[in-house]
Amino acid sequence: MRWFLSGAAILFLAACSPQADRVYTVDELAADNALLAKIIGECRNNPGELRDTPNCRNAEAADGKLRLERMGKSLGG
């Protein structure tokens, strides 16, 4: 009975813990400028902890992709 109660308590606490942040794809971030700006701002504000997170890497890739597209358009491509 004791094992059951401790197991139930662990399951209850795990269910109440905060959910992990959603990982956005490069295409999702490129399509949503506000979300991209928010994530890039957070990542650049705290690069020591966030630099290698999936969202920061994807945001930097999306930013680079958008810059290349804008550069191509400005050069007439």
Side-chain angles (χ1 to χ4, degrees), residues 4 12 24-26 31 36-38 42 47 52 54 56 58-59 65-66 68-69 75-76:
F4 176 75
F12 177 74
Y24 295 97
T25 66
V26 173
L36 177 61
K38 175 183 171 254
E42 291 172 357
D52 292 327
C56 288
N58 289 348
K65 178 181 175 180
L66 291 173
L68 285 175
E69 287 176 4
L75 295 173

Side-chain angles (χ1 to χ4, degrees), residues 1-3 5 8 12 14 16-17 19-20 22 30 32 34-36 43-44 49 54 56-57 60 63 69 75-77:
M1 183 62 137
R2 190 175 187 184
W3 288 101
L5 291 176
F12 177 74
C16 293
S17 65
Q19 296 292 325
R22 181 171 182 264
D32 189 346
L35 179 62
L36 177 61
C43 296
R44 290 183 180 167
E49 290 183 21
C56 288
R57 285 184 274 154
E60 290 294 336
D63 186 47
E69 287 176 4
L75 295 173

